[in-house]
Amino acid sequence: MERPVVVRFAPSPTGPLHIGGVRTALYNYLFARRNGGKMLLRIEDTDSQRFVPGAEDYIIESLKWLGIEIDEGVGHGGPHGPYRQSERRDIYRKYVEQLINDGKAYIAFDTPEELEAARAATPNFQYDATTRLSMRNSLTMSKEEVARRIADGEKYVVRFLIEPGRDVVVDDLVRGKVTINSSVLDDKVLYKSADDLPTYHLANIVDDHLMEVSHVIRGEEWLPSAPLHVLLYEAFGWTDTMPRFVHLPLLLKPDGKGKLSKRDGDRLGFPVFPLEWHDPKTGAVSAGYRENGYLPQAVVNFLALLGWNPGDDTEIMSMDELIEKFSFDHCSKAGAKFAYEKGKWFNHQYLQTLPDVELAELFKPVLTKHSINPADFSDEYITRAVSLVKGRINFVSDLWDNAAFFFKAPESYDPKAVKKRWSPEMPAIMTELIERLRQLNSWKSAEAEAEILQWIADKGYHLGNVMNAFRLTVVGECKGPHMFDITELMGPEETILRIQKGIDNIKADE
Ligand code: GLU
């Protein structure tokens, strides 16, 4: 029986979504779209201790920015709501009771101090088949006593009764069959009366079942929980509709040594969050891909290839192409190194595909930031300037370093270039150049170039020295796009002004 594909992204709102979480969301989305399925967004907020205000909005905004579309869930609604676990208390209570009534779970009254004492007394203490009968729970107390304690308001938890000695098989689409013996598992807490909420494990399984989830696609860090989840499906009698599991490879530090952390990003200078995050408690700001000048298409493409490949070495793929090619056949088990330099490369590639007018629009706020009023220049001028330098940029902000001279004359001149190119006879030659430029038949790049090069040849000047000195006066340093493309755009008046300014201000180094 083929089930319709339903996947869910189920983050806990404990802070900003980590870039690894973004990749999980992306793979869920690609898989759902590839298979004509649906993608749900469920917020797993049963741990009130770790709840962080703003985290849910942050998650929603991040997915939106990246173009990961949600079909059903928080912020969208749908037939299986509510989609915030903290709003589903009544639903879970019923399933906890079912397990207790069926003898698959039991009530335990052990206080934190008692559990601490048990841990101190027994090395590697685990609440399981070997210890549960020496603890204070409904297996060791009469029904009446249990009822009385509950009526007295004593706090309790409900624990899952794990039968020891069974091989539990997690059938994972990427890892194959992973077998674990149930004896190593402990009787996990499924519900806490103190906040009248289930724990992650119970809420997660009940919701996946009720929301008809067909594939659970999540990070490798959840693999250790999977055997418990398989046993829970069994305990509820839902084995037939148990979702398929996919545990995605870890994202590793750029050198491959250990798990990627926020500190790696701080140390090496790359964001580990999709959007900038303002910590509501400390006010600390963490960098985001969006604010650092990445295009969402580049981030998506970069992340898609961290743990998956299309079966060949194609690298540049739009969201639609990724969807078309995506499957878990080419998903790796081994951790993926977070090659952030490659992320810059993707951004460079995507910036080249943007129409110049769009790039010019993105550049305007950067100009403003540098006290240039974009309105002082025509859109054509800004667009052309951008098109001349875009091949050199990884980020929109890099446009400033490469194109600033189009918007203001140099105020200083690169000393190294001055030393190398500004010989004592240069002011006289530049004065001649001004005269020659005034007589040009055309300022069009190729035509102007032909005339000026001819003039240099006729005079017997050194081509490199004259052209570099010329560039120095106009740009302020000896780099930048083709010289006559620059002068064509700047026009005669500005070009000649700058050469004159250079003649007046550049002091030859004796
Ligand atoms: N709430 C878990 C998380 O924060 C979900 C794990 C899962 O997908 O089952 O990632």
Side-chain angles (χ1 to χ4, degrees):
M1 181 190 68
E2 276 292 300
R3 293 175 76 185
V5 167
V6 178
V7 302
R8 85 298 194 271
F9 182 51
S12 299
T14 55
L17 185 58
H18 190 269
I19 201 73
V22 175
R23 192 209 38 187
T24 298
L26 176 63
Y27 282 23
N28 270 285
Y29 177 71
L30 295 176
F31 182 76
R33 285 289 178 272
R34 175 73 189 100
N35 295 284
K38 259 193 333 191
M39 165 120 169
L40 270 70
L41 175 64
R42 183 172 75 221
I43 297 291
E44 303 211 320
D45 56 351
T46 55
D47 189 348
S48 53
Q49 306 287 317
R50 298 184 59 214
F51 179 83
V52 173
E56 180 187 300
D57 288 342
Y58 179 95
I59 291 165
I60 292 173
E61 202 184 329
S62 301
L63 299 181
K64 205 166 152 198
W65 178 62
L66 291 158
I68 299 174
E69 295 158 11
I70 301 300
D71 302 303
E72 193 183 316
V74 171
H76 294 261
H80 302 93
Y83 295 91
R84 251 180 232 108
Q85 290 187 328
S86 60
E87 293 166 12
R88 296 170 65 79
R89 282 190 162 80
D90 296 343
I91 300 173
Y92 304 126
R93 238 181 256 128
K94 184 178 123 205
Y95 289 98
V96 174
E97 268 161 37
Q98 181 185 326
L99 288 181
I100 297 174
N101 293 340
D102 292 350
K104 314 255 181 192
Y106 59 94
I107 293 169
F109 294 101
D110 317 271
T111 62
E113 295 74 30
E114 285 164 346
L115 289 170
E116 200 40 59
R119 276 187 216 109
T122 317
N124 303 323
F125 172 85
Q126 183 162 278
Y127 211 119
D128 61 15
T130 63
T131 58
R132 61 171 84 102
L133 292 180
S134 59
M135 305 299 287
R136 295 198 312 124
N137 54 50
S138 58
L139 305 171
T140 59
M141 288 174 189
S142 68
K143 261 206 170 98
E144 294 68 35
E145 186 178 353
V146 172
R148 183 182 52 76
R149 285 177 186 275
I150 294 178
D152 286 352
E154 198 173 313
K155 296 215 171 33
Y156 64 92
V157 299
V158 175
R159 288 183 179 270
F160 191 32
L161 193 147
I162 300 228
E163 277 177 49
R166 286 199 37 208
D167 276 341
V168 187
V169 180
V170 179
D171 194 0
D172 186 295
L173 279 179
V174 168
R175 286 151 211 276
K177 288 191 165 59
V178 180
T179 307
I180 287 270
N181 193 282
S182 65
S183 299
V184 306
L185 304 174
D186 65 334
D187 290 354
K188 274 273 177 311
V189 172
L190 300 179
Y191 171 86
K192 293 179 183 165
S193 73
D195 38 16
D196 185 25
L197 271 174
T199 58
Y200 155 71
H201 302 289
L202 185 104
N204 190 268
I205 269 50
V206 166
D207 286 349
D208 283 348
H209 174 72
L210 295 177
M211 296 176 185
E212 301 172 81
V213 169
S214 66
H215 293 77
V216 165
I217 303 163
R218 60 187 173 192
E220 180 175 289
E221 63 274 26
W222 301 99
L223 184 59
S225 303
L228 174 73
H229 295 181
V230 170
L231 289 174
L232 274 168
Y233 282 106
E234 235 178 66
F236 279 119
W238 297 335
T239 328
D240 287 351
T241 53
M242 183 164 74
R244 300 300 309 271
F245 288 105
V246 184
H247 291 94
L248 302 175
L250 277 181
L251 290 188
L252 303 175
K253 296 180 192 302
D255 66 5
K257 293 185 185 136
K259 205 176 138 188
L260 177 71
S261 73
K262 172 157 159 32
R263 251 175 297 135
D264 300 317
D266 295 343
R267 183 169 56 91
L268 299 165
F270 60 86
V272 297
F273 302 121
L275 317 179
E276 201 168 82
W277 168 254
H278 297 249
D279 191 298
K281 262 212 204 106
T282 64
V285 178
S286 304
Y289 278 85
R290 181 177 66 183
E291 290 73 9
N292 275 27
Y294 282 83
L295 297 172
Q297 309 90 297
V299 177
V300 161
N301 198 155
F302 168 53
L303 288 179
L305 289 167
L306 292 177
W308 170 84
N309 66 71
D312 55 35
D313 48 20
T314 313
E315 290 193 296
I316 299 292
M317 287 167 279
S318 66
M319 188 72 102
D320 284 345
E321 287 164 322
L322 290 169
I323 289 168
E324 192 180 312
K325 291 168 193 252
F326 194 79
S327 92
F328 288 115
D329 296 346
H330 290 108
C331 198
S332 73
K333 275 186 272 208
K337 284 185 203 165
F338 196 78
Y340 65 99
E341 289 293 344
K342 192 74 190 193
K344 290 187 194 165
W345 178 84
F346 274 108
N347 209 53
H348 170 85
Q349 298 297 326
Y350 277 91
L351 282 171
Q352 307 312 307
T353 68
L354 278 193
D356 294 337
V357 272
E358 258 178 61
L359 205 49
E361 282 309 314
L362 294 175
F363 185 39
K364 285 182 182 175
V366 180
L367 284 171
T368 309
K369 207 176 105 198
H370 286 96
S371 313
I372 301 288
N373 182 1
D376 292 346
F377 299 86
S378 71
D379 279 354
E380 293 74 35
Y381 186 88
I382 301 175
T383 303
R384 179 74 183 137
V386 157
S387 82
L388 288 175
V389 302
K390 68 174 181 179
R392 303 158 198 260
I393 62 159
N394 289 333
F395 301 102
V396 170
S397 57
D398 294 345
L399 284 170
W400 176 253
D401 285 342
N402 289 282
F405 68 87
F406 281 111
F407 302 91
K408 58 178 219 208
E411 273 146 20
S412 63
Y413 302 89
D414 175 19
K416 269 202 204 122
V418 170
K419 193 172 166 105
K420 187 158 174 214
R421 306 290 185 182
W422 201 260
S423 49
E425 69 273 16
M426 226 19 112
I429 299 178
M430 288 296 115
T431 308
E432 273 182 65
L433 173 64
I434 290 178
E435 276 322 302
R436 187 63 194 82
L437 287 170
R438 285 209 169 105
Q439 293 154 30
L440 276 185
N441 293 311
S442 163
W443 274 81
K444 285 254 166 275
S445 178
E447 287 154 57
E449 178 177 12
E451 282 190 56
I452 294 299
L453 295 195
Q454 188 58 54
W455 168 74
I456 293 174
D458 292 347
K459 290 279 181 172
Y461 293 148
H462 184 282
L463 176 68
N465 284 348
V466 174
M467 284 309 296
N468 274 294
F470 179 19
R471 181 181 286 278
L472 192 57
T473 62
V474 175
V475 180
E477 53 192 340
C478 287
K479 60 179 207 194
H482 184 57
M483 194 57 213
F484 294 96
D485 288 346
I486 298 174
T487 52
E488 177 183 330
L489 179 59
M490 249 175 220
E493 203 179 320
E494 179 68 17
T495 304
I496 288 167
L497 258 175
R498 287 190 187 194
I499 301 173
Q500 190 56 57
K501 192 176 168 197
I503 295 168
D504 297 342
N505 292 293
I506 303 176
K507 296 282 166 277
D509 200 89
E510 297 314 316

